[in-house]
Amino acid sequence: MLKAEIFVYLKKSISDPPGIAVLNSLKSLGFENVEKVRMGKYIVVYLNENDIEKAKEQVTLMCEKLLCNPVMEEYKFNISEE
Amino acid sequence: MKFGVVVFPGSNCDSDCYHVIKDVINEHVEYIWHDYNEKLDFDCIILPGGFSYGDYLRAGAIARFSKVMPRIEEFAQNGGLVIGICNGFQILTESHLLPGALIRNKNLKFICSDQYVKVVNNKTPFTNLYKKNEVINLPIAHGEGNYVVDEATLQEMIKNEQIVLQYCDKNGNINEDTNPNGSILNIAGICNKEKNVFGLMPHPERSSEKLLGCEDGKRIFLSIINYLKSR
């Protein structure tokens, strides 16, 4: 079994309203040195698969097809044995 | 005329659209289930508002992979009229039938209010009964209506007159103060290059009867009929 940890986040050029809200909230809590906050999604997919290379290909397809919208988002992932 | 209203799990404006077509403008309308997988024999398909598949992951992202969607893509590619309202608009961008994407509103609030909108392109099958630059009043109700698109595509869209509706005030001013959700260029509705696919965040089906306070949205549906009859 392989575990893919996938991070989906907005592209740098896209404004991130939830991130801005958290930034303002952190500042109001006194963390004034916080410069920027970006929010994203963390998705874990367990694969009944032993071949890491094959899993990488599949996870890339999953990201490009469904998990990420390439118009506004980017992704990265780590694959490890579970 | 034969209209079809697609029903996804989570659609909640499907019966409003059905009602407007059947009882207000008196045309034939049928529901289309999300797993319908036969050729679509309709004159116009409506993707209604709602929260298809709970909008988990992203608004419209899961609905885009329903069984009916390849049929709708085929229908649109053959020149069929497709209109996506609110969640329907989000589904159309996710399925690349329309450019761009819709992200969280700038102020993070779910907005439910009346909103002035300017008809900047009245030369489409969906807006031909409005005057150019006419200011109309349509209700909006969304949390993710902030339209984004890359600069190169935006320039293409401007050149091809794909921007159809823009948020404004009652005098037609378009600026940051008259933008409810942060959309680029105050965009409220766009069409594809071929002009047969239209997506908009406001809800014309909720403003098609005097009883509901405003009839400004009705002319979108009447424009579709006008276009189909003159074709």
Side-chain angles (χ1 to χ4, degrees):
Chain A
M1 178 106 96
L2 292 176
K3 175 182 174 187
E5 293 175 283
I6 303 160
F7 301 87
V8 179
Y9 43 93
L10 285 168
K11 282 183 181 177
K12 276 187 185 156
S13 59
I14 304 279
S15 161
D16 176 10
I20 293 167
V22 172
L23 168 75
N24 293 336
S25 180
L26 287 173
K27 280 192 186 291
S28 73
L29 285 173
F31 298 102
E32 282 173 10
N33 57 352
V34 179
E35 281 294 316
K36 199 172 177 182
V37 176
R38 303 288 287 178
M39 305 269 280
K41 293 188 188 93
Y42 169 63
I43 302 165
V44 184
V45 174
Y46 296 93
L47 292 158
N48 189 8
E49 176 62 65
N50 295 319
D51 183 338
I52 290 196
E53 285 309 310
K54 206 169 162 191
K56 273 186 189 167
E57 271 177 38
Q58 285 187 322
V59 172
T60 302
L61 270 177
M62 288 177 200
C63 289
E64 303 212 339
K65 216 171 170 187
L66 176 66
L67 301 179
C68 167
N69 178 345
V71 175
M72 57 178 170
E73 293 168 332
E74 291 178 55
Y75 63 89
K76 61 182 178 188
F77 58 81
N78 302 316
I79 294 185
S80 57
E81 293 205 9
E82 177 67 12
Chain B
M1 300 299 152
K2 193 174 166 191
F3 284 77
V5 178
V6 182
V7 183
F8 298 101
S11 296
N12 63 15
C13 301
D14 44 352
S15 41
D16 306 56
C17 291
Y18 186 96
H19 160 72
V20 168
I21 305 297
K22 181 170 177 276
D23 303 319
V24 180
I25 62 171
N26 303 310
E27 293 289 342
H28 182 78
V29 58
E30 289 174 18
Y31 286 120
I32 303 170
W33 201 237
H34 59 90
D35 62 357
Y36 186 80
N37 192 11
E38 285 167 48
K39 193 168 191 291
L40 293 166
D41 178 26
F42 291 88
D43 294 300
C44 178
I45 303 284
I46 303 176
L47 302 185
F51 297 86
S52 54
Y53 300 86
D55 276 352
Y56 298 129
L57 197 65
R58 286 186 312 280
I62 302 177
R64 176 249 185 285
F65 289 103
S66 320
K67 280 190 185 150
V68 74
M69 285 311 293
R71 294 298 186 169
I72 290 175
E73 284 160 35
E74 176 187 62
F75 177 79
Q77 274 150 17
N78 291 332
L81 297 186
V82 179
I83 171 170
I85 300 165
C86 202
N87 193 237
F89 183 14
Q90 293 159 340
I91 297 167
L92 288 175
T93 58
E94 282 286 337
S95 42
H96 311 299
L97 285 169
L98 289 174
L102 293 141
I103 66 165
R104 195 71 65 87
N105 293 344
K106 196 177 171 187
N107 62 9
L108 293 178
K109 287 180 188 159
F110 185 97
I111 311 164
C112 183
S113 65
D114 283 340
Q115 171 68 45
Y116 291 107
V117 171
K118 191 186 253 190
V119 182
V120 288
N121 184 354
N122 67 342
K123 290 186 185 130
T124 78
F126 310 92
T127 52
N128 57 69
L129 293 178
Y130 296 98
K131 292 189 206 93
K132 185 170 170 63
N133 293 330
E134 183 174 344
V135 175
I136 58 174
N137 194 4
L138 296 178
I140 55 170
H142 58 248
E144 291 171 60
N146 184 346
Y147 183 77
V148 294
V149 66
D150 65 84
E151 186 57 31
T153 312
L154 182 66
Q155 291 310 321
E156 262 310 275
M157 289 167 65
I158 294 170
K159 200 178 89 191
N160 295 323
E161 297 184 294
Q162 286 171 254
I163 299 168
V164 181
L165 304 173
Q166 285 173 293
Y167 301 113
C168 64
D169 65 13
K170 66 177 177 189
N171 298 316
N173 296 309
I174 295 169
N175 54 47
E176 208 176 315
D177 294 338
T178 65
N179 188 342
N181 53 28
S183 284
I184 193 161
L185 293 183
N186 285 39
I187 285 174
I190 58 165
C191 63
N192 61 345
K193 266 186 211 162
E194 294 75 19
K195 313 281 189 293
N196 64 311
V197 179
F198 177 44
L200 74 166
M201 287 315 294
H203 285 270
E205 80 283 10
R206 294 187 190 174
S207 58
S208 290
E209 288 168 275
K210 268 200 184 124
L211 186 67
L212 299 179
C214 181
E215 286 185 299
D216 283 355
K218 188 175 166 185
R219 273 181 286 160
I220 289 200
F221 303 105
L222 293 174
S223 292
I224 294 170
I225 291 162
N226 187 41
Y227 170 83
L228 289 168
K229 281 189 175 156
S230 63
R231 196 162 60 162

